[in-house]
Amino acid sequence: MTQVAGTDTVATDFNGVELSLNGSDYTLLEDEGRLFVEISHTKPLDPEEPVAPAGRHEIVLTTGSHHLQFYWMATMNTRVIDQLPFAYMIKEERWTPMRATFLLPPAQGNFYAVGQWNRGCMDCHTTQGRPRVSNVSFQMDTQVNEFGISCAACHSEGTKHISKNQNPVRRYAHYLSGKPDDTIKNPKRLDGQKASLVCGQCHSIWNFSGITEKQEWNTKGSTYRAGDESLAQRYVVNPREAEKNPLVRNIIANDPHYLENRFWPDGMIRVTGREYNGVVDSPCYAGGEFSCLSCHTMHAKGHDRTEIRAWSDDQLKPEMRGNAACTQCHGQFENVAALQEHTRHQANSPGSSCYNCHMPYTTYGLLKAIRSHQVSNPSALESLQTGRPNACNLCHLDKTLASTADTLKQWYNQPVPTIPVDEKTIAASILWSIKGDAGQRALLAWSMGWKPAQEISGTEWTYPYLIRTMADPYEAVRFIAHRSLRSLSGFEDFDFDYTAEPSAIMDGINEAYLKWQSLKSDENTAFPAPLMLNSEGNIVNRELHRLLAQRNNRPVL
């Protein structure tokens, strides 16, 4: 999660890499195992833009090692650190502006200011971090017990455990008795709610309970320890308590968009890394036995590199990659006939995956869609009320919301809500990808590259929609659309710089359109009406512009 920067911990070769951003040049260097960046400014700096001064800065820490890696520079002001404004995309093997890895409004500029790591990132990206911010000047004597997420984060402090178990007699007595050791916490032995809170101390939307608690945290760090019943100095934000909880009302007063940037209108979480909020709102959680550890494990089995890489992507127990995660409680669906009767899909199809229907990809993060961790049922009404894509339309991308509502009525006797005209005549995926906010557009661009959706909905009609989405105002949405386009036949090697200047963006899109035209069949095709395409496969312009005029253009951060 966080590591001391060095040639053995960075995800790529630093030496001699040259990068430019907003009139500043950055040259990365290696010197005897240490990493540096030389910064020079080729134009006057914008006083509103947080940019490091010219000169040589040492890269001292890294964050991330799976998908993206960020880098932090020493400022020579106590232990205050600043962020290199670039991230390395590990799978894509390319550098990109850090701001382009998040959903940030186009005019946002750099998001992280000097000292942001000390005051915020380290809260969850280290173990027992203490910001130690000076009250009289911008100085920080920041300390951590360990970089990254270590044993103590989940098992509590080990001093007593180590001290008592120096005695081999005690160790063997415990081994032979089979009883748990009360000098250490094991989340697997906790009840479901306490075990989940071990994860929730970081994987939640939380805030401080007051200024006193924040000051205590700044000095001593978190007082929460594995096995505690609450987060002590903090509380988990519940948007449904906004009216009656003064703490939540205070957050909204300072940031009116706080809730809508993190939650769907009905309170379901919509950003990754905050899965605890979804888990605690799931019916499974209410029983007291279900926890994060019902499906996940923090320790890979064995030492095979391939197995470890497969585990590290989602930390799922190997046996939980299918329906076993749900059938461990809902055992009746281990029977193939019962499963097919329930899902109305073939047992071995994506439509009979419990995850796909009850934990669909409605959460955004790290340039992709993530499964919701709030177990729920597909609902056309909820999609109308919240704008959240439902599981049916995320797979059946070519179907209308009205079609989904009718099917859910026929199969599960769900009441059919009042459906607007567009939702009766135009595929739901198209409406969300054109009219939706930046978060919705990102999810739908990802879904058009999702193999199960491609197999059931077809791909021929998605080319023009993905190509036009590559012009989205948000860099992250452009990246996702391009990645999904590259999953389609003929575009596997199509290059596109999603962070380029607007003119270069349009050149890339025009090139993509020409390539698509050359791949298409010369014969006219009768596309289903909900796809909003003419016989040549082009989007019906009149309808496109009508829907664009209705787009939700609120800034999403």
Side-chain angles (χ1 to χ4, degrees):
M1 184 62 75
T2 298
Q3 301 180 84
V4 175
T7 54
D8 58 335
T9 58
V10 293
T12 186
D13 182 14
F14 260 52
N15 210 23
V17 173
E18 296 184 350
L19 305 165
S20 296
L21 183 66
N22 297 338
S24 299
D25 295 330
Y26 300 80
T27 302
L28 305 182
L29 307 166
E30 295 178 7
D31 187 357
E32 296 183 354
R34 297 167 67 188
L35 306 175
F36 298 88
V37 56
E38 290 274 5
I39 303 176
S40 61
H41 303 300
T42 56
K43 70 175 185 179
L45 298 180
D46 181 348
E48 298 297 321
E49 186 80 359
V51 179
R56 176 177 281 207
H57 303 261
E58 184 168 8
I59 305 291
V60 291
L61 292 178
T62 74
T63 298
S65 60
H66 295 228
H67 309 287
L68 301 164
Q69 192 170 61
F70 301 145
Y71 305 94
W72 307 92
M73 306 177 291
T75 63
M76 306 308 292
N77 173 20
T78 59
R79 291 179 175 174
V80 178
I81 59 177
D82 193 5
Q83 186 176 65
L84 181 73
F86 294 91
Y88 186 73
M89 306 174 78
I90 295 171
K91 183 177 180 180
E92 291 78 13
E93 297 183 341
R94 63 161 288 177
W95 288 91
T96 194
M98 191 287 300
R99 68 173 189 228
T101 65
F102 290 98
L103 270 181
L104 293 179
Q108 175 70 40
N110 268 348
F111 180 59
Y112 286 109
V114 177
Q116 183 74 35
W117 186 89
N118 306 71
R119 295 192 302 269
C121 303
M122 64 172 288
D123 290 348
C124 288
H125 288 252
T126 68
T127 299
Q128 198 64 15
R130 300 174 293 284
R132 295 166 61 88
V133 181
S134 169
N135 292 326
V136 295
S137 63
F138 191 70
Q139 296 183 338
M140 303 179 190
D141 184 28
T142 302
Q143 299 175 358
V144 300
N145 279 15
E146 291 188 68
F147 291 118
I149 309 305
S150 71
C151 307
C154 302
H155 296 282
S156 194
E157 296 168 351
T159 303
K160 183 179 179 182
H161 179 71
I162 293 168
S163 174
K164 286 207 167 188
N165 284 294
Q166 295 290 326
N167 183 340
V169 175
R170 185 181 193 280
R171 293 201 305 272
Y172 277 102
H174 268 290
Y175 175 76
L176 294 172
S177 72
K179 295 180 180 179
D181 187 342
D182 60 6
T183 65
I184 200 75
K185 292 289 190 250
N186 185 343
K188 289 196 295 186
R189 295 195 181 107
L190 300 175
D191 65 54
Q193 296 183 359
K194 288 181 180 178
S196 293
L197 193 59
V198 173
C199 304
Q201 64 178 303
C202 283
H203 288 273
S204 61
I205 299 289
W206 58 264
N207 217 310
F208 291 103
S209 301
I211 189 64
T212 302
E213 289 80 3
K214 171 62 174 170
Q215 290 172 341
E216 181 183 44
W217 177 288
N218 280 347
T219 305
K220 302 177 182 177
S222 173
T223 59
Y224 168 82
R225 298 293 182 270
D228 290 353
E229 293 186 357
S230 74
L231 294 180
Q233 305 128 309
R234 302 172 286 155
Y235 67 98
V236 176
V237 177
N238 184 341
R240 287 178 291 279
E241 296 178 350
E243 291 187 6
K244 62 181 181 181
N245 188 333
L247 294 171
V248 179
R249 290 203 306 272
N250 186 54
I251 295 175
I252 299 171
N254 292 317
D255 180 0
H257 300 292
Y258 182 91
L259 294 181
E260 65 183 1
N261 278 331
R262 293 162 174 79
F263 300 91
W264 295 100
D266 62 353
M268 186 179 286
I269 199 74
R270 68 180 299 185
V271 290
T272 193
R274 310 291 182 254
E275 291 77 14
Y276 178 76
N277 288 73
V279 169
V280 299
D281 276 343
S282 295
C284 313
Y285 180 82
E289 295 184 9
F290 176 86
S291 75
C292 305
L293 297 179
S294 298
C295 303
H296 294 278
T297 177
M298 296 300 99
H299 304 284
K301 291 183 178 179
H303 302 285
D304 179 77
R305 186 176 295 273
T306 302
E307 291 179 6
I308 290 174
R309 283 177 177 167
W311 163 83
S312 68
D313 191 49
D314 52 23
Q315 286 89 48
L316 274 178
K317 297 175 181 176
E319 65 271 21
M320 296 300 162
R321 299 196 181 278
N323 284 347
C326 298
T327 58
Q328 62 181 312
C329 293
H330 301 276
Q332 69 270 32
F333 296 121
E334 290 180 344
N335 179 278
V336 170
L339 178 65
Q340 292 183 165
E341 181 182 1
H342 174 65
T343 66
R344 310 299 177 96
H345 290 74
Q346 290 297 311
N348 61 351
S349 73
S352 278
S353 162
C354 304
Y355 290 143
N356 288 343
C357 294
H358 299 289
M359 297 176 65
Y361 289 95
T362 58
T363 303
Y364 172 80
L366 293 176
L367 296 171
K368 61 182 180 180
I370 309 291
R371 290 193 184 281
S372 168
H373 277 61
Q374 181 173 333
V375 176
S376 63
N377 295 321
S379 167
L381 177 61
E382 287 182 2
S383 289
L384 282 173
Q385 292 176 334
T386 68
R388 183 175 62 250
N390 63 77
C392 304
N393 288 110
L394 282 175
C395 199
H396 297 273
L397 297 172
D398 56 334
K399 301 298 183 184
T400 64
L401 190 63
S403 171
T404 294
D406 289 341
T407 301
L408 291 173
K409 167 66 176 176
Q410 179 185 347
W411 288 359
Y412 305 110
N413 202 32
Q414 277 193 22
V416 175
T418 301
I419 306 286
V421 173
D422 280 347
E423 278 73 9
K424 291 180 180 178
T425 58
I426 301 172
S429 66
I430 292 172
L431 293 176
W432 290 319
S433 66
I434 297 175
K435 294 171 57 176
D437 67 24
Q440 291 167 299
R441 302 196 302 270
L443 293 178
L444 269 298
W446 181 90
S447 295
M448 289 184 185
W450 185 39
K451 190 173 180 180
Q454 291 178 336
E455 290 176 348
I456 195 64
S457 305
T459 58
E460 186 177 2
W461 64 275
T462 61
Y463 285 85
Y465 287 105
L466 288 172
I467 292 171
R468 69 159 305 280
T469 304
M470 285 158 54
D472 195 274
Y474 283 70
E475 292 169 309
V477 178
R478 298 200 294 264
F479 170 83
I480 296 169
H482 174 232
R483 183 175 56 196
S484 290
L485 183 67
R486 290 186 62 172
S487 72
L488 303 182
S489 177
F491 276 83
E492 295 87 351
D493 299 317
F494 185 77
D495 197 21
F496 174 74
D497 184 359
Y498 75 109
T499 65
E501 295 295 319
S503 60
I505 293 285
M506 290 313 301
D507 287 344
I509 288 170
N510 290 333
E511 182 185 350
Y513 270 119
L514 290 173
K515 185 176 182 64
W516 171 54
Q517 294 289 342
S518 71
L519 294 171
K520 285 195 307 180
S521 169
D522 292 333
E523 298 179 5
N524 288 346
T525 303
F527 289 96
L531 298 181
M532 215 172 75
L533 300 176
N534 62 24
S535 60
E536 295 177 348
N538 294 309
I539 302 172
V540 177
N541 252 333
R542 181 185 67 256
E543 289 294 273
L544 173 63
H545 291 297
R546 180 180 70 82
L547 296 177
L548 281 172
Q550 301 174 42
R551 170 173 283 181
N552 184 347
N553 286 315
R554 74 170 185 88
V556 175
L557 189 154

